[in-house]
Amino acid sequence: MNRLSPLLALFVWSTCLMLHQSVAFAQDAVEESASDGALIDSRQAPKGHAPNAAAHAEKHSDAGHGPKLGELINPTAVAPFAILLLCIALFPLLNPHWWEHNKNKGFIAAGLGVPVALYLMSFGHQGLEAMEHSGKEYISFLVLLGSLFVISGGVFVRGSLKGSPLVNSIFLALGATIASFVGTTGASMLLIRPLLRANEKRSRVAHVVVFFIFVVSNCGGLLTPLGDPPLFLGFLKGVPFGWTFRLFPQWATVNGLLLVVFYIWDTIAIRSEAHSPSEEASLETPVSGEKFGIDGMHNFLGLAGIVAVIFCSGQGYGNGGEPWPFGIQEGLMLAVSAISYSLTTKETREKNRFGFGPIIEVAVLFAGIFATMIPALAILNVKGESLGIRTPAQFFWASGILSSFLDNAPTYLTFAVTACGIHGVNAEEGRYLAEFLSLPAASGAVKILMAISCGSVFMGANTYIGNGPNFMVKAIAEENNVRMPGFFAYMLYSGGILIPIFIVVTFVFFL
């Protein structure tokens, strides 16, 4: 009971906060209706009967000209989201043994997410619609990550893999190359286990995993809509499939600089760990002397199947060019992953140290994140234009900073919509980004969308929660006995390494 009492207090506090905001909003609605006389005739309403938030929101929504959800939500409703981020950051430091159990993470996620859901329900149709949209995004997100996790977990790379700075750099370069074509999640799940095995003799390898997250799980996925969720959403909204190839200079600059920094860092790290050249050679010697080979080759067909499903869904094949209805893409991905799992031998998964713990951890924590971030995204959607963002450099940093803490896919769309509004493009049309890119060159539309794309993809690497694969790679590394830096310690890495590189990108490409 002592363990549950803080969680119970947290749940009660969050619920009271959300209920307080609902009451406060209802009172505001009464004052507004009294001032303009447009909502309720006081002579007909029972004395003391105030319209609630749901009635107010639906009244304006039905009228077609009322406030959006972000205008109705009290800014303090973002508090549960901020608290959840703090929990993710602090609990591994304050009570790591308690935090390592996924059920405890579930208590935290539910204790903060459920009150937010209750609060959003008070806005009637608008709140329910926002929750439905976020719920579908969460399911799609989790099915994609889960499918790639299961399929790639059935691929075992055998052979003499050296844990040297050169081989590690080649691993990262390979991941950066394929991430744009099989997705950052697919590339991460495919390569992280062989990389960990190659460095099994070394004790200081946390930096290897951190750079892996930087390059493979984020910055490598910039060149196609298959690489990262923000670019896929842009594709659905009218960005041509091959348009992102023009981001190759930014891709090459960021990943090239990261690989150079990593090679120097890893060289210094292995030499500091070894006290002589012979000991350094011993650390680089593979644990296994078996010949190179790959078990579970059929799973590459599974990865190709997932990529094909995503591409066909976005192109609207079989649906008149429109994206597939929700559930078809997800169902097909689940079917592909189930077939892949059933065809993979138990021995292959055991050699890969495959377990469902990492994906369960991601599912639990991101359920809370997707629920609690709804108010933050809703407020940002209506106040984005008031942020004073106009230039490509401003869009690069604004989309990037928010993508570090919010899901980078809706953040991308938020700033894309903001840019469209500034240039008079109707963002209510299905493929509005095609119209935005067709604006005259003097508008700077192409450069602005390039900046939003780079910011959303690159800066997802700034924190563990910036992009889905980040947390999963961390969990797999810890499952393989790698002591990973905590939330804030990881941000020291990103602040010291990534931010200077992003400043270079700003001056070279977006000023």
Side-chain angles (χ1 to χ4, degrees):
M1 183 65 188
N2 291 335
R3 287 184 175 184
L4 293 178
S5 57
L7 298 174
L8 182 60
L10 180 64
F11 178 80
V12 172
W13 179 86
S14 301
T15 304
C16 290
L17 174 66
M18 295 297 98
L19 291 176
H20 174 266
Q21 298 309 325
S22 298
V23 173
F25 178 82
Q27 292 173 343
D28 291 342
V30 175
E31 293 175 3
E32 182 181 335
S33 64
S35 63
D36 59 22
L39 298 180
I40 297 179
D41 187 341
S42 59
R43 292 171 297 178
Q44 298 176 359
K47 190 173 183 179
H49 181 74
N52 59 19
H56 180 70
E58 289 178 354
K59 177 75 176 179
H60 284 276
S61 178
D62 292 342
H65 54 74
K68 297 180 179 179
L69 181 62
E71 296 172 314
L72 306 176
I73 291 177
N74 191 297
T76 57
V78 304
F81 178 67
I83 294 170
L84 180 57
L85 298 187
L86 286 175
C87 289
I88 293 172
L90 297 178
F91 266 112
L93 300 175
L94 300 177
N95 196 342
H97 178 70
W98 184 87
W99 183 250
E100 70 183 15
H101 299 288
N102 285 329
K103 66 176 182 180
N104 294 332
K105 297 184 183 78
F107 289 145
I108 295 290
L112 292 167
V114 171
V116 172
L118 294 174
Y119 173 58
L120 291 170
M121 289 173 63
S122 70
F123 295 98
H125 175 73
Q126 284 181 294
L128 293 173
E129 189 175 41
M131 286 193 291
E132 179 187 6
H133 180 73
S134 185
K136 288 180 177 178
E137 284 188 342
Y138 170 73
I139 293 172
S140 298
F141 163 86
L142 189 59
V143 168
L144 175 60
L145 258 64
S147 298
L148 293 173
F149 175 79
V150 169
I151 295 171
S152 61
V155 178
F156 179 76
V157 180
R158 292 181 280 105
S160 303
L161 303 172
K162 294 177 61 175
S164 67
L166 178 59
V167 172
N168 289 338
S169 298
I170 292 173
F171 254 100
L172 297 189
L174 175 63
T177 303
I178 67 174
S180 288
F181 302 96
V182 300
T184 53
T185 301
S188 297
M189 296 302 99
L190 195 61
L191 296 178
I192 184 58
R193 292 183 179 91
L195 181 64
L196 292 173
R197 286 199 304 275
N199 291 272
E200 198 167 357
K201 282 190 175 182
R202 297 174 57 179
S203 59
R204 302 176 185 174
V205 294
H207 69 280
V208 177
V209 182
V210 169
F211 274 90
F212 184 92
I213 293 174
F214 289 170
V215 176
V216 183
S217 301
N218 290 276
C219 299
L222 186 67
L223 298 182
T224 76
L226 302 175
D228 219 32
L231 305 181
F232 181 67
L233 288 183
F235 170 59
L236 296 181
K237 299 301 180 182
V239 178
F241 188 86
W243 182 87
T244 45
F245 280 116
R246 69 180 61 205
L247 300 174
F248 178 81
Q250 291 86 344
W251 177 90
T253 299
V254 170
N255 288 294
L257 289 173
L258 282 171
L259 288 174
V260 170
V261 174
F262 170 75
Y263 182 81
I264 296 171
W265 188 312
D266 200 35
T267 300
I268 294 172
I270 195 170
R271 288 179 180 174
S272 65
E273 187 176 343
H275 301 293
S276 65
S278 59
E279 189 175 346
E280 180 179 335
S282 175
L283 289 174
E284 294 179 358
T285 302
V287 174
S288 170
E290 63 182 341
K291 293 182 179 180
F292 177 82
I294 299 177
D295 296 335
M297 287 286 289
H298 65 276
N299 287 297
F300 285 104
L301 293 176
L303 290 174
I306 296 296
V307 171
V309 168
I310 294 173
F311 178 77
C312 293
S313 173
Q315 292 286 70
Y317 290 150
N319 194 41
E322 294 296 320
W324 293 351
F326 174 78
I328 297 179
Q329 172 184 294
E330 292 74 17
L332 289 174
M333 287 194 291
L334 286 174
V336 171
S337 60
I339 294 172
S340 173
Y341 184 84
S342 64
L343 294 177
T344 302
T345 64
K346 183 179 179 181
E347 291 75 16
T348 300
R349 289 194 294 270
E350 288 177 347
K351 286 188 290 186
N352 239 345
R353 299 179 184 175
F354 177 85
F356 286 98
I359 191 64
I360 293 173
E361 179 179 4
V362 170
V364 169
L365 287 177
F366 274 86
I369 289 172
F370 269 78
T372 57
M373 75 179 181
I374 295 174
L377 286 174
I379 292 172
L380 185 62
N381 267 316
V382 298
K383 297 189 177 179
E385 292 186 33
S386 65
L387 298 177
I389 300 170
R390 294 291 186 273
T391 67
Q394 291 172 336
F395 274 105
F396 174 69
W397 283 97
S399 61
I401 290 172
L402 285 173
S403 292
S404 302
F405 299 97
L406 301 174
D407 183 55
N408 59 0
T411 300
Y412 169 95
L413 284 185
T414 295
F415 284 101
V417 168
T418 299
C420 288
I422 293 172
H423 291 84
V425 174
N426 181 11
E428 294 182 2
E429 299 296 330
R431 301 177 69 83
Y432 56 85
L433 287 180
E435 181 182 349
F436 180 71
L437 290 174
S438 68
L439 293 174
S443 67
V446 170
K447 198 169 184 179
I448 286 174
L449 193 59
M450 290 172 71
I452 295 172
S453 300
C454 289
S456 300
V457 172
F458 288 157
M459 296 199 204
N462 284 342
T463 71
Y464 280 135
I465 64 170
N467 200 14
N470 302 3
F471 227 110
M472 198 177 301
V473 168
K474 173 181 179 288
I476 292 174
E478 290 174 335
E479 196 174 51
N480 285 266
N481 302 316
V482 176
R483 188 171 182 177
M484 291 296 294
F487 189 87
F488 292 122
Y490 175 88
M491 290 181 65
L492 291 178
Y493 276 95
S494 62
I497 299 167
L498 292 176
I499 298 303
I501 292 177
F502 296 152
I503 291 174
V504 171
V505 170
T506 304
F507 277 97
V508 174
F509 298 107
F510 299 128
L511 286 181

